[in-house]
Amino acid sequence: MRLYLLALNPTDSVTEGFLPAAARLGLDVTVLTDQPDSHRRTYPDIEILECDVRDFRAVITRISTHHRPDAVFTNSDHLQTQAALAADYFGLPAKDWRAALRAKDKAHLRRHLALTGADTVWSTELPAGQDPSSLAALDVPYPCVVKPREGVASEDVVLVGSGEELPLRCKEIQTRRPEAALVVEEFLAGELYTLETLGDGRIRHVLGGFHTELSPPPYFIEERLTFVPAHPEPVVEQILAQLDALGVGFGACHTEFVVHDGRARIIEVNYRAIGDQCDLLLAQLLDIPLFEHILRSHLGEPLPADLGARTDGAARLDYPCAGTAGTLVSAPGPVDLDTDGVRLTYRPLRETGERHELYRTNRDYLGVLRATGTDQATVDRVVADFLAAQRWEIAP
């Protein structure tokens, strides 16, 4: 059976998760990408074909002129709609392309949730190139959030406190992204969480989620995620109802939401598995073949009624971040430790000698620390001790 996997840049989710899972399932894999050299360097034994993967027509043509597909899949935020359209063209199991588009396009997401009565958030769209002074005519609630309509990883997402500040922030983003439309929406107060789900169109499993700790405002960099085995049932019901309204329910989905006074409201929907190595941790913590289950759903195989997931796990992830632009001159290397029943895995995300600007997003991550155990207090203590003993030095 042949799996076509659509990708942009190589990611840990694909390299350490989906490709090994495909091998265990005995699948023949063809990666379609617009960055073939990067993928060939990362996994030279996998078939890599160059393709304009942002264009669903190019994807369909490339597949049509190669081997017959049994599944078309992607874990990229940017390519969900293209993969869904291509899979549907070949009559294969797929996400509804409309739902994929709603999840990716934050303006569509807000409009659709309001239209269906699932949730209403004050929101407006600033088309690419439009003067942000036009927003002065609107009754914008402050504080508000400005973000790219189709952005990812909190990049260029900023909290704005006043009408004087709003056009300045918009212009800053437009300078960096002249072709990007922006969304301005009311700030949703509350603690930030995630809900991780897995479905096959018939059954949907809730895998738990995370409590997310962010950098200080006005930016929204995710600095720490602590595993939540089960959110309160009323919270889960509210989020699932909003996902149903969006038509989201096939394959993996990573949903970010806030809870305030018992009300759960979606921040954004990433219609894919959670990234930044959280998916690798989740598979280990739950002790389930998570990546195989995701691929099987795209092959048309039903998910089991019971995944057999462990329920005694505790975990967290920490992301040491660069606080300034500059060159990383010293940093810890890869580490694997078992301490007091806690399994620690640290992986660098930036090589020493590399120079970077300050991005105010997860591109500022210097590394990722994954920790799993059975007692949260012990996990937290072991992580704190490990981080306190490490040093990351950045020279201007």
Side-chain angles (χ1 to χ4, degrees):
M1 301 182 77
R2 181 163 299 274
L3 167 70
Y4 284 89
L5 191 152
L6 278 56
L8 298 174
N9 57 296
T11 64
D12 292 331
S13 296
V14 169
T15 304
E16 299 185 40
F18 288 108
L19 289 181
R24 289 190 290 269
L25 292 174
L27 301 178
D28 296 316
V29 177
T30 299
V31 174
L32 302 183
T33 178
D34 59 356
Q35 302 176 41
D37 292 341
S38 296
H39 290 270
R40 289 176 182 132
R41 286 193 299 268
T42 306
Y43 23 85
D45 296 330
I46 301 294
E47 182 179 49
I48 313 294
L49 298 182
E50 185 169 5
C51 178
D52 181 6
V53 285
R54 294 181 185 270
D55 184 343
F56 73 92
R57 295 161 297 188
V59 172
I60 291 170
T61 297
R62 199 70 179 94
I63 294 173
S64 297
T65 55
H66 198 53
H67 302 294
R68 184 182 64 84
D70 294 287
V72 179
F73 171 77
T74 185
N75 198 53
S76 169
D77 272 310
H78 302 283
L79 304 177
Q80 293 297 332
T81 304
Q82 294 88 330
L85 285 166
D88 185 60
Y89 177 86
F90 291 107
L92 301 172
K95 298 168 182 174
D96 183 337
W97 71 266
R98 300 167 188 82
L101 181 61
R102 291 177 198 129
K104 176 59 180 169
D105 186 313
K106 296 171 176 61
H108 280 326
L109 181 141
R110 291 299 180 209
R111 284 191 289 264
H112 194 79
L113 287 176
L115 181 66
T116 58
D119 189 31
T120 300
V121 173
W122 190 99
S123 176
T124 191
E125 188 173 349
L126 185 69
Q130 181 169 311
D131 189 339
S133 63
S134 62
L135 298 171
L138 304 177
D139 188 19
V140 180
Y142 294 98
C144 66
V145 176
V146 179
K147 53 189 174 183
R149 185 184 64 191
E150 299 178 57
V152 295
S154 298
E155 188 161 3
D156 284 322
V157 181
V158 63
L159 184 68
V160 176
S162 69
E164 293 74 25
E165 183 186 5
L166 180 57
L168 299 177
R169 292 296 194 180
C170 290
K171 287 178 180 177
E172 288 175 1
I173 300 172
Q174 288 176 327
T175 299
R176 290 187 290 268
R177 299 180 175 213
E179 298 179 358
L182 304 181
V183 169
V184 180
E185 64 182 36
E186 68 176 285
F187 172 71
L188 300 181
E191 289 293 304
L192 180 61
Y193 295 94
T194 82
L195 188 73
E196 311 307 324
T197 55
L198 173 62
D200 61 7
R202 174 189 59 90
I203 188 173
R204 177 170 53 197
H205 294 286
V206 175
L207 306 178
F210 294 89
H211 178 213
T212 305
E213 297 179 45
L214 299 171
S215 62
Y219 303 105
F220 297 87
I221 306 169
E222 297 177 357
E223 295 183 340
R224 176 177 300 149
L225 285 85
T226 302
F227 182 63
V228 179
H231 295 296
E233 188 172 336
V235 168
V236 174
E237 290 176 353
Q238 291 176 65
I239 296 302
L240 292 182
Q242 292 173 55
L243 291 178
D244 286 342
L246 292 168
V248 169
F250 183 85
C253 186
H254 161 58
T255 305
E256 299 179 7
F257 66 95
V258 292
V259 178
H260 182 63
D261 292 337
R263 184 180 181 186
R265 309 182 77 183
I266 283 178
I267 298 295
E268 66 178 42
V269 176
N270 301 282
Y271 207 174
R272 53 156 173 82
I274 186 172
D276 291 323
Q277 300 194 17
C278 293
D279 46 1
L280 303 177
L281 176 142
L282 202 59
Q284 173 193 325
L285 182 70
L286 300 180
D287 194 22
I288 61 173
L290 175 62
F291 298 97
E292 286 93 328
H293 282 319
I294 295 170
L295 293 180
R296 283 191 176 108
S297 68
H298 286 264
L299 289 164
E301 299 181 19
L303 291 168
D306 184 351
L307 295 177
R310 288 183 56 178
T311 58
D312 62 345
R316 88 181 215 192
L317 300 98
D318 282 73
Y319 301 98
C321 284
T324 62
T327 301
L328 184 65
V329 295
S330 66
V335 175
D336 292 281
L337 293 173
D338 286 286
T339 304
D340 295 341
V342 176
R343 182 177 176 183
L344 286 178
T345 301
Y346 175 78
R347 293 292 181 265
L349 295 177
R350 186 178 295 185
E351 296 290 336
T352 56
E354 287 186 13
R355 178 175 177 79
H356 287 261
E357 299 304 314
L358 193 63
Y359 302 108
R360 308 289 187 185
T361 179
N362 67 1
R363 286 197 287 162
D364 293 327
Y365 291 168
L366 301 173
V368 53
L369 177 64
R370 311 193 313 253
T372 58
T374 55
D375 176 73
Q376 193 64 52
T378 303
V379 169
D380 291 340
R381 174 179 57 80
V382 171
V383 167
D385 290 345
F386 176 84
L387 291 174
Q390 310 307 314
R391 293 291 180 271
W392 292 265
E393 182 181 354
I394 297 176

